[in-house]
Amino acid sequence: MSRAGKYVYKRKDGRWEGRYIKCHVNGRAKYGSVYGHSCEEAKQKLAKAKIMLENETQKISAGVVRAVGKKWIDEASSRLKESSVNKYESILDNYIYPKFGDFELSDITNGDIIDFSNKLIKEGGVKKKGLSVSTVNQIMSVLNSLRIHALRRNCTVCFTTECVSLKSETTGTRVFTLDEEEKLITYLENNYNLTSLGILLCLFSGLRVGELSALKWDDFDFSEGTFEVCKTMQRVKVKAGYDKKTVVKILEPKSKCSKRIIPIPENLRKMLLSEKVEGAFVLTGNKDRFIEPRTMQNRFKQILKKAEISDANFHTTRHTYATRCVEEKVDTKCLSEMLGHASVAITLNRYVHPSMELKAQHLAKLTSRFPINITVAA
C-alpha cells in the first residue's frame, strides 16, 4: 500500500484516500474520508475537509436510522412513483434496518459501510449465498439518500458510500436468434389467441410486458396507423391493514419518455383490427378483465417450452426487437423514441445486441477491402 503521510494512502482500486478524525464517540475516534485520483488531489481535499471541520460550531445528531428512513420515505412519497417507494421500503426493511436500524446515523463510519457491503456480497440474501453487485449498489444508493437527507438538515454524518467500490457485472443478455424468432412466430400463428397476438405485438414494437397488460383498444388509432403507450400495469405492495399484501394497479409509465406513440406493425394491422373491442383490454377483449404481467410472463415461458425454444424472460422480446431494428439499419434516434428511452446511449448500451452473423458481415466488408495474397505451401 502506497502512503504519502500518516493519513493519505493509495487504495487497491487506484484512488487515493485521505482520512481525518471527525469526532469522538464514547472515547473512540470517528474518521471521515476524502478521495482523489492523485495523491495531490487527496491532500488538497483533506486540507479543505479539516478547515471545514474546524469552522463547525455545532454538531447536530441525525437521529436513529429507522426514524431517518421513515422521514425520508414520507418526503420521497410525494415525488416518486408508488412502485419506487415500495422498492425503497423493501430495501430498508430487508437489508438496512436489520443491520443499522437502531444505530445513530451520525455514528456510522466508512468502516461500518465497507464491512456491511462485503457481508452482503459474500453471504447476503435469504439463502445466505451473497447478493449481486447490482443489488448491493441499490442498497448503497438508499444509504446515500439517508446520508443526503441528514446533511441537508445540517446533521453530522461520518460516512460516505463512495468508500464502497464494486465492479460492475457484465452478464449476457438473451436475444432470440433469427431461427428462434421464426420458430416462435410460427408457433404463435399456429396456436393463435389474444395472448399470441400480444406477444407478436411486442416482437414488432418493443413493448414492455407491463405496457402490454395495460394496453386497451382505445389506445389504437387505425386511421392514423398508430397506437399510444400511456400507462403500465404493476403488482405493488399495499400498506398494512389491508387483507392482501399486493394489488395490481395501472400506473403512469416508467418515465416521461416512456409515454410515446408507435406505428402499428403493418404485418399485424388486419389481425389487430379484427380483434378490436371498444374500451376493452387488448389481451382479454373485455373491459373489466385483464391479464397481469406475472401471468403473461408465465404464459410466455410455457409457450417457449411447447415451441421447444430455450428459456427466456418476456423482456427478451424487447431486446430482440431493438436488435433486429439495428440489423435492419433503422435510425437509432427513431428506435430510441419508439422504445421510450431518454437517450440514444441507453438504446445502444442496454438493448442492442448485434448477432454473430451481423458481426461476421461487418468483418467481411473489412477483409474484402484489404485482401491478403500469400501463397501457402501445400
Side-chain angles (χ1 to χ4, degrees), residues 55-324:
N55 292 335
E56 287 182 359
T57 57
Q58 185 178 11
K59 295 185 181 297
I60 304 173
S61 173
V64 175
V65 170
R66 200 179 301 274
V68 176
K70 184 179 184 308
K71 290 179 182 178
W72 172 65
I73 284 291
D74 288 343
E75 290 184 10
S77 297
S78 62
R79 55 184 171 79
L80 294 177
K81 289 177 60 178
E82 186 176 359
S83 57
S84 297
V85 173
N86 286 331
K87 175 184 175 181
Y88 296 143
E89 286 182 328
S90 178
I91 289 175
L92 286 167
D93 292 336
N94 294 324
Y95 301 110
I96 296 177
Y97 289 161
K99 173 63 178 178
F100 295 118
D102 297 323
F103 277 51
E104 166 63 48
L105 184 69
S106 299
D107 289 347
I108 298 175
T109 66
N110 285 338
D112 294 329
I113 300 297
I114 292 171
D115 291 343
F116 179 49
S117 65
N118 288 338
K119 188 171 183 178
L120 291 173
I121 287 290
K122 293 178 181 178
E123 54 187 81
V126 177
K127 296 181 180 180
K128 305 297 182 184
K129 293 184 178 181
L131 299 174
S132 66
V133 170
S134 60
T135 299
V136 176
N137 279 331
Q138 290 176 4
I139 296 170
M140 292 299 111
S141 178
V142 173
L143 271 171
N144 191 51
S145 294
L146 299 187
R147 169 181 169 273
I148 293 173
H149 176 88
L151 289 174
R152 285 175 176 170
R153 286 150 185 78
N154 298 319
C155 297
T156 301
V157 181
C158 298
F159 73 88
T160 171
T161 52
E162 289 183 9
C163 66
V164 175
S165 180
L166 301 173
K167 292 183 179 180
S168 300
E169 297 171 317
T170 54
T171 56
T173 303
R174 179 83 161 94
V175 175
F176 290 128
T177 64
L178 287 170
D179 288 340
E180 286 178 325
E181 188 170 8
E182 185 176 347
K183 197 173 182 180
L184 176 58
I185 291 172
T186 300
Y187 180 89
L188 295 172
E189 289 174 336
N190 295 334
N191 298 271
Y192 178 76
N193 53 31
L194 290 178
T195 295
S196 302
L197 178 60
I199 296 172
L200 286 169
L201 183 59
C202 290
L203 281 170
F204 292 103
S205 67
L207 285 179
R208 301 177 178 93
V209 65
E211 295 169 341
L212 173 65
S213 293
L215 194 65
K216 288 190 172 184
W217 288 113
D218 292 350
D219 299 321
F220 284 76
D221 187 340
F222 286 94
S223 62
E224 293 292 330
T226 61
F227 67 99
E228 183 180 12
V229 180
C230 56
K231 50 192 176 297
T232 188
M233 186 181 293
Q234 288 183 315
R235 178 172 286 279
V236 298
K237 288 185 178 181
V238 295
K239 301 294 183 181
Y242 288 79
D243 293 333
K244 297 180 179 179
K245 292 183 178 180
T246 61
V247 63
V248 175
K249 289 190 176 184
I250 295 178
L251 307 167
E252 289 288 306
K254 186 177 180 181
S255 65
K256 289 183 180 179
C257 296
S258 293
K259 286 186 176 182
R260 59 201 189 276
I261 295 177
I262 303 175
I264 295 173
E266 194 57 38
N267 58 347
L268 301 179
R269 183 185 178 88
K270 290 182 180 179
M271 199 182 304
L272 290 164
L273 190 55
S274 68
E275 299 288 353
K276 181 178 179 180
V277 178
E278 293 292 343
F281 288 96
V282 171
L283 288 178
T284 63
N286 188 294
K287 296 180 181 180
D288 302 315
R289 187 169 59 85
F290 56 80
I291 296 176
E292 68 164 297
R294 186 166 60 182
T295 300
M296 197 64 189
Q297 178 77 267
N298 292 335
R299 290 186 181 184
F300 181 69
K301 286 181 172 290
Q302 290 171 7
I303 287 172
L304 292 182
K305 190 173 182 179
K306 292 177 181 177
E308 298 181 346
I309 298 172
S310 299
D311 186 49
N313 291 321
F314 197 99
H315 208 67
T316 302
T317 61
R318 183 169 166 87
H319 287 294
T320 302
Y321 166 76
T323 302
R324 295 290 173 264

Side-chain angles (χ1 to χ4, degrees), residues 316-336:
T316 302
T317 61
R318 183 169 166 87
H319 287 294
T320 302
Y321 166 76
T323 302
R324 295 290 173 264
C325 284
V326 170
E327 291 173 352
E328 294 300 324
K329 295 181 172 57
V330 173
D331 177 74
T332 309
K333 177 61 177 175
C334 182
L335 173 59
S336 180

